[in-house]
Amino acid sequence: DQQVKQNSPSLSVQEGRISILNCDYTNSMFDYFLWYKKYPAEGPTFLISISSIKDKNEDGRFTVFLNKSAKHLSLHIVPSQPGDSAVYFCAALGSSNTGKLIFGQGTTLQVKP
Amino acid sequence: EAGVAQSPRYKIIEKRQSVAFWCNPISGHATLYWYQQILGQGPKLLIQFQNNGVVDDSQLPKDRFSAERLKGVDSTLKIQPAKLEDSAVYLCASSLVREGAGEKLFFGSGTQLSVL
């Protein structure tokens, strides 16, 4: 069963515009949600996280929104830059706190100059 | 600060052969993870170590996969014998402690395994 889903395999936006990446989850017991970014031939790198008790967290150009009633979170990148082109993974951490991150399938973002 | 080191970067083997991957985490990081990432999917946790003890290996196919973390530092992941479906990128990650404020893992570049 896929507890964390990213239904859009790819997204293409123009430089300077907003990028919105979406993620849905099924388990209401998740405590934290994280976004990781992955460039080709590199490992994922941590981008931003949000606690389940919050609905928004902002870090520079990156903002994550959490809608618990809809079991949905989104990552907004404003303004988008060509260097943001990468695969973005949504991940969730369960309340059992074993450290077991559950990742979505990833969304490939392409920012066109 | 040096990152998570993994070797080799690439490995091509035939099915039924054995293979081993090595990982050196960031110095001082107590927790070490091995993830498997199949093409088009997100990383899936295989095993998690806290120092040299196993915390979670529920998704490790123990009939063919094994992992160890001697002295609580380096770790090796072995597959014996390999199957075609083991073709994937094997990612090692480490974290300072099992943080309650979101699990900020630091990943290595991974080992891309192709089983022919």
Side-chain angles (χ1 to χ4, degrees), chain A residues 89-106:
Chain A
F89 290 101
C90 169
L93 180 64
S95 59
S96 61
N97 260 350
T98 62
K100 182 177 178 178
L101 277 179
I102 299 174
F103 285 85
Q105 311 95 304

Side-chain angles (χ1 to χ4, degrees), chain B residues 18 20 30 36 42 53 86 91 103 105 113:
Chain B
S18 62
Q36 179 193 58
D86 299 332
L91 294 161
E103 201 71 17
L105 274 61
L113 173 67

Side-chain angles (χ1 to χ4, degrees), chain B residues 29-105:
Chain B
H29 280 197
T31 310
L32 184 147
Y33 314 78
W34 283 101
Y35 280 83
Q36 179 193 58
Q37 186 183 2
I38 293 172
L39 188 64
Q41 299 181 20
K44 182 185 81 171
L45 179 69
L46 292 175
I47 188 167
Q48 177 186 348
F49 292 94
Q50 183 82 12
N51 297 307
N52 59 353
V54 175
V55 174
D56 186 343
D57 64 356
S58 58
Q59 296 193 94
L60 186 74
K62 298 181 186 63
D63 58 334
R64 299 184 299 106
F65 285 65
S66 64
E68 60 181 6
R69 190 183 184 195
L70 298 177
K71 301 180 182 178
V73 182
D74 292 8
S75 177
T76 56
L77 176 69
K78 296 179 181 177
I79 308 174
Q80 182 180 10
K83 293 185 175 181
L84 296 176
E85 60 260 35
D86 299 332
S87 294
V89 176
Y90 290 85
L91 294 161
C92 179
S94 68
S95 62
L96 189 58
V97 291
R98 188 166 48 74
E99 301 175 12
E103 201 71 17
K104 190 181 295 184
L105 274 61

Side-chain angles (χ1 to χ4, degrees), chain A residues 34-82:
Chain A
L34 304 91
W35 286 93
Y36 279 80
K37 180 168 77 172
K38 185 182 183 303
Y39 292 117
E42 294 184 13
T45 55
F46 172 80
L47 189 57
I48 191 170
S49 65
I50 187 167
S51 164
S52 61
I53 63 173
K54 296 186 176 181
D55 54 18
K56 177 182 174 181
N57 188 26
E58 190 172 352
D59 183 2
R61 296 186 297 113
F62 302 91
T63 303
V64 56
F65 296 92
L66 176 62
N67 183 334
K68 288 185 287 295
S69 61
K71 294 191 178 68
H72 177 85
L73 65 156
S74 60
L75 174 68
H76 293 210
I77 306 173
V78 183
S80 301
Q81 299 174 354

